[in-house]
Amino acid sequence: MQSCKSSEEIEQISLFRWAAFAENIYPELKLMYHVPNEGKRSAVTGSRLKQAGLKSGVPDIVLPVARGGYIGLYIELKYGRNKTTANQEMWLRNLRDQNHLTAVCYGWEQARELIEKYLKLSPSFCGVINNRRAEHGKWRLIHDSYDRVKEYNCSNCDTNHIREYKFCPNCGARMDGGNTNGINK
């Protein structure tokens, strides 16, 4: 085996070894993968990879499994005193805006703990339920006595949530204001 280049690489290998072992408990881990964005490359190789779609700052680890109202989990894995770059912060923010859970984890154990907690959340419904198009709905705002938004109520299933999602975590309704865009359900 080729010698490991960095402690971050060792942490990543350790995480994926744990994931292979834990697939018996969490079968969804079979979907987890690494985005090989790191490393020094020649100018020619770097140019070709960019032309092929490689983007700087994309998080290291992706788990494309919907849980807890999120549509997937992205993790930037760090080791020691490493910090995220401006590009990595931008990617994490933009992915959060698209309803993904994002995190920076220091070491494989912290990443493992987050993944386990994430997989224990209830499954999210993302647009299609039982091979039929999901209902559409809108968030009704519930205010506290100071007129601040306290909760968000789904107009489709009448459940309350502490934040807005693109889809209701309970019933899967697409929260687009009730607009079906002329599509029959």
Side-chain angles (χ1 to χ4, degrees), residues 31-116:
L31 298 172
M32 189 169 76
Y33 61 92
H34 164 62
V35 177
N37 245 2
E38 68 283 331
K40 303 283 184 214
R41 299 177 175 95
S42 71
V44 171
T45 301
S47 175
R48 290 184 60 96
L49 288 172
K50 282 183 183 179
Q51 290 173 23
L54 184 71
K55 298 194 185 238
S56 173
V58 174
D60 297 313
I61 300 161
V62 182
L63 182 57
V65 174
R67 290 287 189 275
Y70 299 102
I71 60 174
L73 172 64
Y74 281 80
I75 298 173
E76 179 59 37
L77 187 62
K78 295 292 181 191
Y79 182 77
R81 297 181 182 187
N82 291 346
K83 302 282 184 202
T84 53
T85 65
N87 259 354
Q88 290 169 335
E89 289 293 331
M90 184 261 317
W91 271 96
L92 293 168
R93 185 176 50 256
N94 289 343
L95 288 164
R96 268 193 309 273
D97 290 347
Q98 295 302 315
N99 221 35
H100 293 278
L101 178 61
T102 66
V104 177
C105 293
Y106 285 85
W108 79 270
E109 293 97 343
Q110 192 178 64
R112 184 207 67 215
E113 288 173 17
L114 173 65
I115 292 165
E116 286 182 319

Side-chain angles (χ1 to χ4, degrees), residues 11-180:
E11 295 296 309
Q12 193 123 279
I13 290 168
S14 298
L15 178 66
F16 277 87
R17 284 184 177 162
W18 163 79
F21 172 77
E23 284 177 4
N24 291 329
I25 301 166
Y26 307 107
E28 301 90 343
L29 288 173
K30 293 175 185 170
L31 298 172
M32 189 169 76
Y33 61 92
H34 164 62
V35 177
N37 245 2
E38 68 283 331
K40 303 283 184 214
R41 299 177 175 95
S42 71
V44 171
T45 301
S47 175
R48 290 184 60 96
L49 288 172
K50 282 183 183 179
Q51 290 173 23
L54 184 71
K55 298 194 185 238
S56 173
V58 174
D60 297 313
I61 300 161
V62 182
L63 182 57
V65 174
R67 290 287 189 275
Y70 299 102
I71 60 174
L73 172 64
Y74 281 80
I75 298 173
E76 179 59 37
L77 187 62
K78 295 292 181 191
Y79 182 77
R81 297 181 182 187
N82 291 346
K83 302 282 184 202
T84 53
T85 65
N87 259 354
Q88 290 169 335
E89 289 293 331
M90 184 261 317
W91 271 96
L92 293 168
R93 185 176 50 256
N94 289 343
L95 288 164
R96 268 193 309 273
D97 290 347
Q98 295 302 315
N99 221 35
H100 293 278
L101 178 61
T102 66
V104 177
C105 293
Y106 285 85
W108 79 270
E109 293 97 343
Q110 192 178 64
R112 184 207 67 215
E113 288 173 17
L114 173 65
I115 292 165
E116 286 182 319
K117 286 178 183 175
Y118 181 77
L119 289 173
K120 289 176 183 174
L121 295 172
S122 62
S124 302
F125 299 103
C126 295
V128 176
I129 302 171
N130 296 330
N131 292 324
R132 77 181 244 278
R133 190 165 181 79
E135 300 293 322
H136 294 258
K138 65 181 180 178
W139 291 117
R140 296 183 289 223
L141 305 180
I142 300 171
H143 295 86
D144 64 14
S145 59
Y146 297 102
D147 204 32
R148 296 178 297 204
V149 175
K150 180 175 98 176
E151 290 182 304
Y152 300 86
N153 177 269
C154 173
S155 66
N156 195 54
C157 68
D158 200 37
T159 59
N160 294 343
H161 304 274
I162 59 171
R163 77 176 194 86
E164 289 181 284
Y165 300 97
K166 290 185 186 239
F167 297 91
C168 175
N170 185 59
C171 70
R174 179 182 296 275
M175 304 311 278
D176 57 4
N179 180 8
T180 62

